[in-house]
Amino acid sequence: EEARHPHPGSFGARAPRMVKTGIAVGLNKGHVTTERELKARPGARKGRLGTRVKAVREIVREVMGQAPYEKRVIELLKVGKDKRALKVAKKKLGTHIRAKRKREDMGNLLRKMRAAGQGEDKKKKKK
């Protein structure tokens, strides 16, 4: 699924190279060569989320539940105080980007909980 890069601002791919002219001076100076397609190095997948690690984290999250600050963020999102939720997360996590990601994650969790709650309500009404 979604692989998070360890450094969100950097990009993995390099800018396209200009074709060499074979001349010793100028912007595209240098001997004309053909680019070789190199095999990806093991370090290129560093930081990617593996299926096993993902499964383990999901199980741990199910068993342990949320941290107290996460519960507070969810409560703030319930009453529509998104900015305050961001401030609480930022205070705990240290950076704005991490706080935004955590607020988004908690919002998704809240939506899942509401969807699950509606599903149960429909089952009760049918009986």
Side-chain angles (χ1 to χ4, degrees):
E1 284 190 12
E2 180 189 339
R4 289 191 179 142
H5 198 274
H7 306 288
S10 63
F11 298 99
R14 285 196 210 122
R17 287 194 186 150
M18 298 298 289
V19 179
K20 304 282 180 149
T21 57
I23 301 172
V25 293
L27 289 173
N28 305 327
K29 67 181 181 181
H31 188 70
V32 179
T33 58
T34 56
E35 281 290 316
R36 295 189 314 156
E37 193 62 40
L38 298 174
K39 194 168 77 171
R41 303 178 100 171
R45 69 173 298 279
K46 183 176 173 143
R48 291 248 175 96
L49 185 62
T51 52
R52 181 187 168 97
V53 173
K54 185 178 178 183
V56 168
R57 285 183 186 162
E58 284 175 3
I59 291 167
V60 168
R61 172 64 76 183
E62 277 180 38
V63 173
M64 298 303 295
Q66 279 72 44
Y69 85 95
E70 290 176 334
K71 289 177 184 173
R72 185 167 177 210
V73 168
I74 289 171
E75 284 301 316
L76 290 166
L77 291 173
K78 278 182 187 174
V79 295
K81 301 217 175 213
D82 290 22
K83 191 169 183 180
R84 174 57 59 187
L86 183 68
K87 283 185 172 188
V88 168
K90 186 174 184 294
K91 179 79 174 160
K92 192 70 179 175
L93 298 171
T95 69
H96 186 69
I97 290 173
R98 287 178 185 173
K100 285 200 305 188
R101 187 180 298 149
K102 180 60 75 174
R103 180 179 65 176
E104 187 64 33
D105 289 347
M106 294 297 107
N108 291 340
L109 188 69
L110 187 61
R111 279 190 285 280
K112 279 184 186 173
M113 283 165 40
R114 283 182 178 155
Q118 286 178 351
E120 289 173 10
D121 290 345
K122 287 180 183 175
K123 287 178 184 175
K124 286 180 182 175
K125 286 180 183 177
K126 285 182 180 177
K127 286 183 180 180

